[in-house]
Amino acid sequence: MNRSPVLIDLALQGGGSHGAFTWGVLDRLLEEPWFQIAGISGTSAGAMNAAVLADGWTEGGAAGAREALDKYWRSVSRAAAFSPLQRSPLDHLMGRWSLDTSPAYLFTDLMSRMLSPYDLNPLGFNPLREILAGAVDFDRLARAPIKLFVTATRVRTGRGRIFRNAEINADVLLASACLPTMFRAIEIDGEPYWDGGYAGNPTITPLVRETDAHDTIIVQINPTERPEQPRTAAEILNRLNEISFNSPLAKELRMIALLRQVADPGTGEGARWARMKTHRIKSDMLATFGASSKLNAEWAFVSKLREEGRRAANEFLDMHGADLGMRSTADLDILLAEC
């Protein structure tokens, strides 16, 4: 598509290894020279993708960002090869990507209900720390031209905190992805933090207030709807997980829809909300994978998710590429009718 540049923001949800879908989306969008990224808000895996992209962009533009994302996900997959959390022979035989019948996963899941990470992982080991050390230059990230907003949840208050470029380091990214049943809370300035998905997944407001873009593309990982009723214990827990991690985003989008209706389109803060255009990229395929698959980072699965992300982004560009900079393609007003 040959067209004038469009300034956009990206809002990236978290979801473990399903973040490879977002990698695919970003990889496809970065092929378009008319995309200019002003800011990225990310949570959990979305925060990892955001930081890696922004750092790579600072070093080598769009090509550098694509290369950095590829390197990061390959490192994640290599590390996962040494994890005891692997698919069982039955999962392989049935062509399933979940870990629901993995002995190591079942044992870990059971132990997490009886013992905390402070008992099971007293040293606070997290393989992502070493991966991030090789994937992101945090000094360079502090001066990146793309504004970053990473959300983590304060354990004591349950409220979110948004970290910006100069504040972002490995601890901040690990805090944003800190599932409390798997990892010890990450302490930053004496304050313990858990996964940002409980407070904002991702947080949209700073994109509207602090960047010059009027178009926000939300890359959504967690399915918003499931037609079937969950009945097994695994299905119920999976759906609870999806609802809890989608709830902050739904509430914020509902607030944005209301603000857009009442905002003064003239100047100042009201004009920012009135001019905001929202878009969404998602895939029905992600709804076919259970929660345990978010811990599966084997290369075949990561590659499958990446290709689905590229397909979904390509479909979005074919259908709505011409709408960017012109109008919203995600109907937020329908959220007000659901109140």
Side-chain angles (χ1 to χ4, degrees):
M1 182 180 295
N2 185 15
R3 58 174 296 181
S4 300
V6 176
L7 197 61
I8 64 166
D9 288 328
L10 296 169
L12 311 180
Q13 258 196 344
S17 65
H18 290 192
F21 168 80
T22 302
W23 167 32
V25 170
L26 298 175
D27 189 64
R28 176 63 186 91
L29 295 182
L30 287 166
E31 290 179 346
E32 298 295 332
W34 54 276
F35 270 114
Q36 293 185 355
I37 303 172
I40 310 176
S41 177
T43 297
S44 194
M48 308 290 179
N49 278 321
V52 172
L53 184 157
D55 182 48
W57 182 286
T58 305
E59 184 180 30
R66 295 181 67 199
E67 182 180 353
L69 285 165
D70 182 90
K71 178 183 176 182
Y72 169 76
W73 281 101
R74 288 180 184 276
S75 297
V76 169
S77 186
R78 282 195 297 270
F82 297 98
S83 169
L85 300 178
Q86 303 290 335
R87 285 190 295 158
S88 70
L90 178 61
D91 288 326
H92 280 277
L93 183 64
M94 300 296 293
R96 297 186 301 228
W97 296 104
S98 71
L99 304 178
D100 291 343
T101 62
S102 164
Y105 172 77
L106 293 172
F107 176 77
T108 301
D109 184 55
L110 177 63
M111 293 301 291
S112 69
R113 300 175 195 278
M114 297 185 294
L115 298 172
S116 84
Y118 295 85
D119 302 313
L120 298 172
N121 188 10
L123 298 179
F125 173 73
N126 189 328
L128 278 177
R129 184 178 293 278
E130 183 176 346
I131 293 172
L132 288 171
V136 181
D137 182 330
F138 291 104
D139 290 332
R140 184 167 58 211
L141 189 67
R143 58 180 187 274
I146 297 174
K147 294 183 179 181
L148 293 186
F149 307 96
V150 172
T151 303
T153 304
R154 301 176 195 264
V155 176
R156 293 193 177 100
T157 66
R159 299 179 63 184
R161 175 179 170 183
I162 300 169
F163 296 86
R164 292 161 175 81
N165 293 56
E167 303 170 298
I168 297 172
N169 54 30
D171 280 340
V172 167
L173 295 179
L174 292 176
S176 184
C178 180
L179 291 172
T181 58
M182 294 187 63
F183 300 106
R184 297 169 47 158
I186 303 295
E187 289 200 7
I188 301 172
D189 299 327
E191 181 84 17
Y193 290 89
W194 280 341
D195 195 297
Y198 298 111
N201 193 19
T203 306
I204 308 294
T205 302
L207 293 174
V208 182
R209 288 180 167 173
E210 300 181 36
T211 79
D212 295 326
H214 301 315
D215 288 72
T216 298
I217 299 176
I218 302 168
V219 183
Q220 193 158 356
I221 290 178
N222 294 303
T224 53
E225 295 183 9
R226 284 187 180 271
E228 71 281 359
Q229 179 181 341
R231 296 186 181 277
T232 68
E235 289 172 347
I236 292 170
L237 288 174
N238 179 45
R239 190 55 186 150
L240 282 172
N241 176 282
E242 290 172 349
I243 291 172
S244 63
F245 279 105
N246 274 330
S247 179
L249 176 62
K251 289 179 179 177
E252 189 172 18
L253 290 177
R254 190 175 293 118
M255 178 201 72
I256 290 171
L258 181 61
L259 284 173
R260 286 175 56 189
Q261 286 190 358
V262 302
D264 180 357
T267 58
E269 180 88 359
R272 288 182 175 273
W273 295 105
R275 290 198 299 261
M276 181 188 178
K277 305 173 189 68
T278 53
H279 315 273
R280 192 186 321 236
I281 298 177
K282 60 181 181 177
S283 169
D284 292 337
M285 177 190 283
L286 296 179
T288 66
F289 305 127
S292 66
S293 67
K294 294 178 181 179
L295 299 176
N296 179 5
E298 60 183 282
W299 182 247
F301 186 46
V302 166
S303 298
K304 182 181 182 70
L305 291 168
R306 173 184 177 271
E307 288 309 308
E308 177 60 15
R310 285 186 56 84
R311 185 207 63 77
N314 200 60
E315 181 180 71
F316 170 81
L317 290 172
D318 287 342
M319 293 180 62
H320 300 301
D323 294 317
L324 288 167
M326 303 297 294
R327 61 187 64 84
S328 290
T329 59
D331 185 8
L332 299 188
D333 291 337
I334 194 173
L335 295 173
L336 297 178
E338 297 174 352
C339 293

